Amino acid sequence: ANAPSKDGAGPGFGGLLEDITNRAELMLFGRQASDTFGALFREGGSVAGRCRRLGARVAGELAQRRLELDSSAGPLWLPALEQNLAASAGEARQSGASLAICELLRAEVCSEAETKQLCKQIVALLMPGKTESSELLAAVCDGLRRVSERRNLVWKVLGEADLAFSREQLLDRLYGFSKLVTDGLGDTKEAELGATSRDLIHASWRLLGQLAAWEAEDSSMDCVEKLIAIGLKSTGEEALGALGLALSAGSSDPTAAAGEATPAATVRTSKLIHRLLELAGAHEEEGRNIPTSDAAKAEMAAKERAQRCGIVWLTILLRRMLRSGSQASLPAEYVDPICRSFVRAAAGLSIFVADCSLKGMCLIFALTPPDGRTELMKTMFASISNRTVVSNMFVGTPDTATRKEMQDGKDAGGPNSLKITAKERVDLLKDLMFLSREMSHPPLFIGLLDQPVGSIWTGEILREALDLQMPSIPDELHPQLCPKVLRPKLYPFFFHSNGPLRQAVVALTASYFSVESPQQLATKFSEEWPQIARNLVAALGSGRVATREAAVHAAQALFRGKVWSDINFIFEDLWSIAIRLMDDMEERVQAVVKPFMRMMRNLTLRLCDTKLSNTTDVEAAIKTLIPLLLTTCERYTHAQPLCFDIIREMIKLAHNTNLLSAYVQDLIPPLLVSLSMMENTALQYWQFHIEAADASKGRELEAARVSNSRDSESMKLIRQLVPLVTEENAAALAPRTRDSLARGVGANTRVGACDLWIAICAERPSAVPTGGQVATSMLRCCAGALLDQNREVRNAAASCFASLARRNTPQELTRVVSERLLQKDAEFRTDDAQRNAFRVSLARALWEVCRRCDDGALEPELKASIAAKAFGLRWSSDQEVKTGWEPLWSELCPTTSGGVERHHKAICKELASAFEENISRAEKMTSAKAVSALAALLDKQQPRPNWATDAAVGELQNAVRQAVQNLPVFEGSGLLVRALADIGATMHRRKRNEPAPGGTSSTSLEESLGFPLIKGFSAKGSLTDRAAAIRALQEVTTATRLWQPLEEPASLYAAAAARVDELQKEVENEKREPGEAVPKRHRGKGSSPAEELLSACLDFWGLTFEQCRLEEDDDGDLSHPEDDELKAFMKACLDEFSSGSLTFRLDIVRLWKHLFAHFAEEKLFTQGDASVGKALGEDMCKTLVTAIQDASLDARSERLRRPALELAGALSKREKQREVLETALAAAAAAPPSAQVTLMTLEKWIDKVDDATAEICSEQLSALRALKP
């Protein structure tokens, strides 16, 4: 005010201040000369009343200012004010004058006498009957309250005798103003009372509270209790605000300096806080039962009103303490109870009380000493956590009828908006609490809570008491609530799904850092961008679902469009957490993560695009991204489609560049995997069902799937990478593609691996050096793939094998095929099914090898090994194996005899090893068939080699003999015995009068051929195996001419007949229904094992007869048979003929035909008077002719009739054998007609022959007619 003007001339600012003061006085007091009233005395409603109160305060400040400038100057306006106070024309002049006089008294600008006189005049206005103007009384109460805030004038003037107004009268007068509220209304709303009445009641309460501050402690607490009693009846918002101000004033010490906490004030405050905590129910249990009786309901309503009053008044008291600077007057023991009360009230249904409690939580933090704020936050957070309703999946909810009724009642009443609001408020508190915990800075909770919010409680009294819209924390505490270090951490919460929390964060950053959006935060504090990014990545992995959701939104805004130099330090962490978010179980996160992953995909591709980034950054990015993508593919199945998509796009972006040359070995394997993984999963389902319905259609679908994968994007990218393959890349790529080929999940992957190496061998032959490690290892791997169950894989593997075979030496190819294919079936020695399945695949694989590989690549040894394997397996009992190896044998050997001639040594070796190594009986039976077939083909070679001296054949014969010798009797063992006989017969076959091929004696030859083994098996095992043994014995005996005496085959037949009789007796002894015929299972059943055995025995016996000669020129010749030996043989034949089937009879007739022809040729039974008829005797001749007649007339088959007539014709033509027919026919002719004989006369016999047979056998019939019985 004393400063000069700026230009140094004229009056200074002191003159300006005087001008302003004069202008203010004019506005306040007006011009009395012109009857113009100022703002102090102007009529009007509530607005004019507020102007009067503000004007009075201005007048008081001006008077005090003038006194400070000139201590001798008195109040200039006092006469005018006294004049207006005494006026009766209008209430406004008196109200304004009383307010202004009180402000002058407050400012202490009047003398002591003037002060007392003026105060008496003002107090006198409150006397009953003085005035009933509510406006004037309200102004008097406000003025006296303002005076009492600094000076104890009211009680002093009331104590003087000249004022007929006592202390008690004043108090009663003031309490009387509240009757209108306490008697019925319960609130001080303007709509019910009017503005002036409301202001009067509020002013009277505040005056009472302020006057109580000047009284003794007991009297003061009495006044406080009366005010509390009034408040419990007047629970409206404005009433509570006014009473709260009154209670706060009553607990203060007016004599204390500003910010000073006197003992008296501390005691009063403590008592008031204790009383208010009782009202708030701080010491009551939180759990309360639902009231049922009227009394209980009334009691609960009273408690709720008391809690409402206690919370609101506590908030007002704390605010007054904070604004007055008397923090020290808050006792420490009340901090925790107040905090818990506020938190509990915040979860209540009253929005006003909840807002007050939230404001109170901020105030209690500001009033708490710094060293106690940590414990305060713990208490506050614990109380908030107790407000949380825990929903546990393992804790059930009782399903009682009462609970159902309550729930039905709630549903019928519709949604409760107050409960919904309370729940949302508690959720907000929890979110704010978790946010501050995540920030590791609990005071941030208070900072977020103490932000400007909209409120409907904006009345003048409420603004003065609470001011719920505005922050209450002093500015000096802002760095403690939200230090700068937390600023980068706030970025994600700009996107929080909780609207109030998000608004709180925006308000906080606007107030503390002058930023209102995340973009401004990242731009204004650009140096903190790395910290923002790191904190955002940490938020993406938060345990809070809402935080993760907000961080996902924030990441899309923060990282979009960045280059590698901006995010290289954080990209790996960002990528890792993004991949984990893709598999987040929360639906809220799943809903927002899809656009986030699209952003991540686009960002990743942007970093690898040379059009959008410089080459250096792209190379650095690719160096990091490729391993990262590959690692992600291996660890996270759910992220594989995304990674494959990015890899494909990266390859497209790097086309015609060398950016990916160093990563070919890393990129190709996942692309191969994607061939199967990216296929529609429904195709595999369809494949299964189509194959089950139609195998050919299943193969067609399988081929279509593979064809589609070859045209896929992944395969196209693989082809683009092939030109980048180098020798170093190929060496690194080979082991990984071997894994894909051997253990690839899908057929598409395995086919793709084969196609890859076909392309590499064709386009980049320098990458696969001939005979190198890569070529060798891949050849071995492809050899295994040739055995794949999938046909398309086998075909692709065959082409790949052929391509790689050209990159290997023939010796290596032979070694690979031998080790990986030919010898691999040894792994399935004990499982016939697995072995057969393997052999089917092996046949296809070897066929592809032989068909696709050049002849120069296949060594003769390899061809021989494959042919040897094929020859043996062509005789497999498994039809699929057999048909699989037939084409392979035909591929190698156009003719069977030529193949055996060329590869017989390898075949013998393979078959010998099959007998020695395999333990499967089925395998030995298959090998036995192959040995018999080989022996037959070896016999046909011309000129015939001496097989007895061939080492390979000898080893095979020894292997077969060892197998027969070591194996027990089992079904099918006859095949092995036959094989032993066949190979032995081939080795030692000779014609009559030729020397033995081996030059050995008969005894040693029998031992080497296994004669005792063969004979032994003729009496062991099943009938079929016994028959096979007999046939084998016959074969080897015929070939080697080691014939035994006739007693030997006779004994074999006797044993066989006895065994058949034994089995037939078992059949006859079986239980059956009465009258049921005995089934023919052995004799009489065509081609039965029994008849096969008996037929073999008779054949061998008859063949032995054919070795009998008159002159024994060869070691194998037998001497002339005896009559008894012939009779025994014929008796056995006739016995079997009588019970034999058609087939067996035919065999016997043919046997007789050959036997009698041999007798005639060798002139046996022709010396002297000897003949066949005499040797047989009359009875046997008749039986024999009867059998011939029966056979010749058999109506079942011409195949039997014709041989029988041919036999009869041959006998009739031979002189020494004709006697058989003549003797029998003569006996038939001599028999009386009445005799029942089966033997027919010649005429009758010939007559019964059917015409067709007679025409065919006319020559034989002519010979018969020439007979003379």
Side-chain angles (χ1 to χ4, degrees):
N2 298 323
S5 61
K6 294 182 178 180
D7 56 2
F13 289 109
L16 179 60
L17 177 60
E18 185 176 358
D19 293 340
I20 294 174
T21 303
N22 294 333
R23 178 63 176 170
E25 291 176 353
L26 180 62
M27 292 179 64
L28 292 174
F29 299 103
R31 298 178 183 271
Q32 293 184 357
S34 59
D35 293 334
T36 302
F37 300 107
L40 281 174
F41 314 117
R42 188 173 295 129
E43 296 287 348
S46 59
V47 177
R50 177 170 174 76
C51 289
R52 283 194 294 272
R53 287 192 294 272
L54 293 177
R57 294 185 185 184
V58 173
E61 292 293 332
L62 291 176
Q64 187 174 5
R65 177 61 178 167
R66 186 181 296 276
L67 183 62
E68 290 176 358
L69 295 176
D70 185 2
S71 59
S72 61
L76 300 178
W77 322 301
L78 190 56
L81 293 175
E82 290 177 345
Q83 182 181 356
N84 285 286
L85 181 62
S88 60
E91 299 172 351
R93 294 173 62 189
Q94 289 182 320
S95 299
S98 61
L99 287 170
I101 290 173
C102 288
E103 289 296 332
L104 294 178
L105 296 177
R106 175 186 171 91
E108 301 182 14
V109 297
C110 300
S111 63
E112 186 69 23
E114 290 176 337
T115 299
K116 288 184 178 181
Q117 183 62 33
L118 292 173
C119 186
K120 290 178 181 179
Q121 293 179 12
I122 299 300
V123 172
L125 293 175
L126 293 176
M127 295 175 64
K130 192 70 174 178
T131 181
E132 295 300 329
S133 172
S134 299
E135 183 178 0
L136 177 57
L137 292 173
V140 171
C141 290
D142 278 335
L144 292 177
R145 175 183 59 81
R146 291 282 296 170
V147 174
S148 300
E149 287 178 355
R150 291 189 179 180
R151 306 178 70 182
N152 188 14
L153 293 178
V154 177
W155 292 139
K156 287 182 180 181
V157 298
L158 288 176
E160 296 184 0
D162 58 345
L163 184 62
F165 196 41
S166 65
R167 184 190 197 98
E168 289 73 15
Q169 290 175 333
L170 175 61
L171 292 177
D172 292 340
R173 177 68 168 166
L174 293 176
Y175 286 129
F177 295 147
S178 304
K179 288 185 178 180
L180 186 61
V181 177
T182 57
D183 289 346
L185 291 178
D187 197 1
T188 58
K189 295 181 179 179
E190 181 180 354
E192 298 174 356
L193 295 174
T196 56
S197 298
R198 179 199 62 188
D199 293 342
L200 173 59
I201 295 172
H202 290 173
S204 65
W205 290 341
R206 298 187 64 183
L207 177 58
L208 285 170
Q210 192 61 53
L211 290 176
W214 292 100
E215 293 185 325
E217 183 176 340
D218 294 338
S219 300
S220 174
M221 292 309 299
D222 290 341
C223 181
V224 167
E225 288 297 334
K226 291 181 180 179
L227 291 173
I228 290 175
I230 295 173
L232 292 176
K233 297 179 181 180
S234 307
T235 57
E237 290 83 5
E238 294 187 351
L240 291 178
L243 288 167
L245 291 174
L247 293 172
S248 301
S251 66
S252 64
D253 185 1
T255 62
E260 180 183 0
T262 62
T266 301
V267 172
R268 290 181 179 183
T269 303
S270 298
K271 290 184 177 181
L272 180 58
I273 291 175
H274 182 77
R275 182 70 177 92
L276 296 180
L277 286 174
E278 289 180 352
L279 293 175
H283 306 293
E284 296 180 1
E285 296 183 0
E286 293 195 27
R288 293 181 294 181
N289 296 327
I290 299 176
T292 56
S293 63
D294 294 340
K297 292 179 180 179
E299 181 182 357
M300 176 171 285
K303 288 183 178 180
E304 290 178 352
R305 288 195 301 270
Q307 182 184 16
R308 177 184 177 90
C309 295
I311 294 298
V312 175
W313 292 340
L314 275 173
T315 305
I316 296 173
L317 176 61
L318 295 179
R319 185 171 184 271
R320 196 273 306 170
M321 295 172 63
L322 181 62
R323 290 173 64 86
S324 64
S326 56
Q327 291 94 328
S329 62
L330 177 63
E333 64 270 15
Y334 292 121
V335 172
D336 286 353
I338 293 174
C339 178
R340 294 191 186 96
S341 299
F342 282 150
V343 173
R344 182 169 61 177
L349 299 182
S350 174
I351 299 176
F352 175 69
V353 175
D355 289 350
C356 291
S357 64
L358 297 179
K359 182 66 67 175
M361 293 163 65
C362 301
L363 294 170
I364 195 68
F365 177 86
L367 290 171
T368 303
D371 56 351
R373 288 171 181 165
T374 301
E375 292 299 323
L376 172 64
M377 296 309 302
K378 292 181 180 178
T379 302
M380 193 176 298
F381 285 174
S383 300
I384 294 174
S385 298
N386 290 336
R387 298 290 103 195
T388 304
V389 178
V390 179
S391 178
N392 194 323
M393 63 181 292
F394 300 105
V395 179
T397 302
D399 190 13
T400 62
T402 303
R403 185 176 297 277
K404 288 183 177 180
E405 291 177 1
M406 292 174 59
Q407 187 63 39
D408 293 342
K410 292 179 181 179
D411 296 340
N416 190 325
S417 60
L418 294 179
K419 291 185 178 180
I420 294 173
T421 303
K423 183 180 182 303
E424 291 176 350
R425 189 185 311 114
V426 173
D427 291 341
L428 173 62
L429 291 178
K430 290 190 294 181
D431 286 340
L432 294 177
M433 179 182 68
F434 286 123
L435 188 154
S436 60
R437 283 180 173 174
E438 286 180 339
M439 297 289 188
S440 301
H441 191 70
L444 179 63
F445 174 81
I446 300 298
L448 293 169
L449 206 59
D450 186 51
Q451 294 303 316
V453 293
S455 176
I456 62 173
W457 294 283
T458 57
E460 181 181 356
I461 192 68
L462 290 175
R463 286 199 306 271
E464 184 178 355
L466 294 166
D467 200 4
L468 297 175
Q469 297 183 96
M470 298 304 295
S472 57
I473 300 295
D475 293 344
E476 57 269 17
L477 290 181
H478 288 181
Q480 299 181 26
L481 298 179
C482 183
K484 293 182 179 180
V485 70
L486 295 182
R487 186 164 54 204
K489 298 181 179 181
L490 293 173
Y491 188 90
F493 299 98
F494 280 94
F495 302 87
H496 204 278
S497 58
N498 190 326
L501 182 144
R502 185 172 63 250
Q503 294 171 6
V505 172
V506 173
L508 182 140
T509 54
S511 301
Y512 291 13
F513 309 119
S514 301
V515 293
E516 298 182 359
S517 66
Q519 292 78 10
Q520 290 180 357
L521 181 65
T523 303
K524 183 175 181 179
F525 305 102
S526 57
E527 69 280 358
E528 295 180 354
W529 197 93
Q531 289 83 355
I532 293 176
R534 290 191 180 94
N535 291 321
L536 178 55
V537 171
L540 287 170
S542 172
R544 295 275 298 168
V545 177
T547 303
R548 295 202 303 275
E549 181 183 7
V552 168
H553 288 297
Q556 297 180 60
L558 184 66
F559 294 110
R560 183 177 284 112
K562 296 298 180 181
V563 296
W564 179 250
S565 58
D566 294 335
I567 61 174
N568 56 358
F569 69 97
I570 198 68
F571 188 81
E572 291 189 24
D573 296 334
L574 175 62
W575 177 266
S576 300
I577 195 64
I579 295 304
R580 289 198 292 271
L581 285 173
M582 290 179 64
D583 198 33
D584 199 293
M585 300 298 294
E586 293 293 336
E587 293 183 1
R588 291 170 56 186
V589 178
Q590 285 293 328
V592 299
V593 80
K594 293 181 180 178
F596 172 60
M597 294 313 299
R598 285 197 297 269
M599 184 277 296
M600 287 296 299
R601 173 188 178 276
N602 297 334
L603 175 63
T604 305
L605 295 177
R606 176 187 178 89
L607 299 176
C608 302
D609 193 348
T610 54
K611 298 178 182 178
L612 302 176
S613 303
N614 59 68
T615 305
T616 304
D617 284 351
V618 171
E619 291 176 351
I622 289 177
K623 186 177 181 181
T624 301
L625 289 173
I626 294 298
L628 190 61
L629 290 169
L630 298 178
T631 303
T632 303
C633 285
E634 294 176 1
R635 294 182 179 178
Y636 305 103
T637 305
H638 66 275
Q640 287 180 354
L642 172 66
C643 295
F644 288 138
D645 180 44
I646 294 176
I647 290 174
R648 286 195 294 266
E649 295 300 324
M650 287 175 61
I651 295 174
K652 291 180 181 178
L653 292 174
H655 188 55
N656 295 328
T657 67
N658 292 324
L659 291 173
L660 299 179
S661 297
Y663 309 102
V664 170
Q665 66 274 16
D666 298 322
L667 291 173
I668 288 180
L671 288 173
L672 291 175
V673 174
S674 70
L675 293 174
S676 295
M677 194 199 70
M678 303 303 290
E679 186 184 38
N680 191 332
T681 55
L683 289 176
Q684 185 60 37
Y685 174 82
W686 296 336
Q687 182 77 51
F688 175 79
H689 289 282
I690 290 176
E691 282 184 350
D694 190 339
S696 62
K697 296 296 183 182
R699 288 192 293 269
E700 291 179 8
L701 176 59
E702 189 176 66
R705 292 172 60 191
V706 171
S707 176
N708 184 60
S709 72
R710 282 172 167 162
D711 295 333
S712 64
E713 288 293 327
S714 296
M715 198 63 202
K716 292 177 182 178
L717 296 176
I718 292 174
R719 295 191 188 100
Q720 291 180 11
L721 292 174
V722 169
L724 302 178
V725 176
T726 62
E727 185 174 352
E728 294 77 11
N729 288 341
L733 183 62
R736 304 183 66 175
T737 49
R738 287 202 303 269
D739 291 340
S740 298
L741 192 56
R743 292 183 288 273
V745 176
N748 294 344
T749 297
R750 302 196 295 275
V751 171
C754 295
D755 292 345
L756 168 67
W757 283 100
I758 292 173
I760 292 176
C761 292
E763 300 179 26
R764 301 288 296 169
S766 60
V768 189
T770 302
Q773 183 178 1
V774 173
T776 302
S777 62
M778 289 308 303
L779 185 70
R780 290 176 175 272
C781 182
C782 286
L786 290 170
L787 305 176
D788 197 280
Q789 295 296 322
N790 189 287
R791 183 183 64 172
E792 299 300 324
V793 177
R794 292 195 302 270
N795 293 339
S799 299
C800 184
F801 190 88
S803 299
L804 291 168
R806 301 185 185 97
R807 314 301 301 171
N808 284 272
T809 61
Q811 295 79 9
E812 182 63 29
L813 179 61
T814 301
R815 187 182 305 110
V816 169
V817 173
S818 299
E819 295 176 358
R820 295 280 175 166
L821 298 177
L822 295 177
Q823 300 175 11
K824 200 173 180 63
D825 58 350
E827 299 178 5
F828 308 100
R829 297 171 63 245
T830 60
D831 193 326
D832 292 343
Q834 289 187 4
R835 184 177 59 250
N836 289 335
F838 168 78
R839 284 175 172 173
V840 171
S841 300
L842 179 62
R844 298 167 181 162
L846 293 175
W847 185 81
E848 293 289 349
V849 170
C850 296
R851 187 174 66 88
R852 294 177 184 263
C853 293
D854 299 335
D855 289 339
L858 298 176
E859 290 187 317
E861 293 82 357
L862 178 59
K863 291 183 178 181
S865 299
I866 297 175
K869 177 73 72 173
F871 182 85
L873 295 179
R874 290 168 62 231
W875 301 95
S876 174
S877 58
D878 188 280
Q879 187 62 31
E880 191 175 5
V881 175
K882 182 177 180 180
T883 55
W885 287 89
E886 282 285 0
L888 179 59
W889 170 261
S890 301
E891 181 73 20
L892 291 171
C893 307
T895 62
T896 302
S897 58
V900 169
E901 182 178 358
R902 189 181 311 114
H903 305 300
H904 76 276
K905 292 185 178 180
I907 295 174
C908 290
K909 183 178 179 181
E910 176 68 23
L911 293 175
S913 65
F915 280 106
E916 294 172 356
E917 297 175 3
N918 288 317
I919 62 175
S920 169
R921 293 177 178 177
E923 177 67 12
K924 293 184 181 299
M925 292 167 61
T926 298
S927 301
K929 295 178 184 177
V931 169
S932 297
L934 175 65
L937 292 170
L938 292 177
D939 267 340
K940 295 178 181 180
Q941 290 190 20
Q942 296 295 333
R944 192 176 190 280
N946 186 359
W947 298 118
T949 59
D950 191 290
V953 178
E955 290 179 3
L956 175 59
Q957 195 265 346
N958 291 332
V960 177
R961 186 175 68 250
Q962 286 295 119
V964 174
Q965 185 174 354
N966 296 333
L967 276 180
V969 177
F970 63 92
E971 187 71 28
S973 58
L975 295 175
L976 277 75
V977 177
R978 181 62 184 267
L980 176 62
D982 289 341
I983 193 64
T986 299
M987 293 176 62
H988 300 281
R989 186 178 301 278
R990 72 181 183 90
K991 294 181 180 180
R992 189 167 178 267
N993 296 324
E994 287 184 357
T1000 57
S1001 63
S1002 299
T1003 304
S1004 60
L1005 183 59
E1006 288 182 3
E1007 290 294 333
S1008 63
L1009 290 175
F1011 262 71
L1013 286 174
I1014 299 173
K1015 291 178 182 178
F1017 275 94
S1018 65
K1020 294 187 295 185
S1022 64
L1023 299 180
T1024 302
D1025 291 334
R1026 293 188 184 198
I1030 296 297
R1031 298 289 185 190
L1033 181 62
Q1034 175 181 326
E1035 173 66 22
V1036 70
T1037 302
T1038 303
T1040 59
R1041 297 195 57 76
L1042 297 176
W1043 294 99
Q1044 302 297 320
L1046 290 173
E1047 292 83 357
E1048 188 69 24
S1051 64
L1052 292 177
Y1053 167 76
R1059 176 59 179 164
V1060 173
D1061 292 340
E1062 181 181 350
L1063 294 176
Q1064 184 65 33
K1065 191 172 295 184
E1066 291 178 359
V1067 174
E1068 293 174 355
N1069 293 334
E1070 291 178 354
K1071 294 182 179 180
R1072 56 180 55 86
E1073 295 294 331
E1076 182 181 356
V1078 178
K1080 292 183 178 181
R1081 298 179 183 172
H1082 303 293
R1083 287 189 174 94
K1085 182 178 181 181
S1087 301
S1088 66
E1091 289 195 347
E1092 292 292 335
L1093 172 62
L1094 296 173
S1095 176
C1097 291
L1098 293 177
D1099 285 346
F1100 182 47
W1101 197 355
L1103 196 59
T1104 305
F1105 267 104
E1106 292 181 14
Q1107 309 308 315
C1108 297
R1109 285 174 171 73
L1110 288 176
E1111 296 180 1
E1112 301 178 20
D1113 299 332
D1114 185 79
D1115 293 340
D1117 293 342
L1118 298 179
S1119 60
H1120 193 289
E1122 299 294 334
D1123 292 349
D1124 293 339
E1125 292 174 339
L1126 181 59
K1127 285 182 179 180
F1129 173 73
M1130 293 302 297
K1131 182 178 184 306
C1133 290
L1134 291 172
D1135 290 342
E1136 298 300 336
F1137 186 90
S1138 63
S1139 60
S1141 64
L1142 174 66
T1143 304
F1144 197 8
R1145 288 188 173 192
L1146 176 61
D1147 292 340
I1148 293 175
V1149 169
R1150 288 174 177 172
L1151 177 61
W1152 287 340
K1153 182 178 178 181
H1154 288 290
L1155 181 62
F1156 288 129
H1158 174 73
F1159 287 167
E1161 181 181 355
E1162 294 296 330
K1163 298 180 180 180
L1164 299 177
F1165 298 102
T1166 59
Q1167 303 299 321
D1169 59 349
S1171 65
V1172 174
K1174 292 180 180 179
L1176 294 177
E1178 181 180 354
D1179 292 339
M1180 188 164 291
C1181 287
K1182 291 191 292 183
T1183 306
L1184 175 60
V1185 173
T1186 301
I1188 295 174
Q1189 289 179 348
D1190 186 33
S1192 64
L1193 300 177
D1194 197 306
R1196 291 174 293 180
S1197 175
E1198 181 268 338
R1199 294 175 56 240
L1200 177 61
R1201 296 194 296 270
R1202 184 163 52 86
L1205 290 175
E1206 290 176 353
L1207 172 60
L1211 291 175
S1212 63
K1213 293 178 182 180
R1214 299 176 187 137
E1215 182 180 356
K1216 292 294 185 179
Q1217 297 178 0
R1218 187 182 304 131
E1219 185 180 352
V1220 175
L1221 293 174
E1222 291 175 348
T1223 302
L1225 293 175
S1234 61
Q1236 296 181 355
V1237 294
T1238 57
L1239 184 64
M1240 293 179 290
T1241 61
L1242 180 62
E1243 293 78 6
K1244 186 178 181 180
W1245 179 17
I1246 294 175
D1247 291 341
K1248 285 190 175 184
V1249 176
D1250 61 283
D1251 297 338
T1253 305
E1255 183 178 355
I1256 296 173
C1257 301
S1258 58
E1259 182 181 350
Q1260 287 78 11
L1261 291 176
S1262 300
L1264 288 175
R1265 290 187 182 96
L1267 291 176
K1268 295 179 180 181

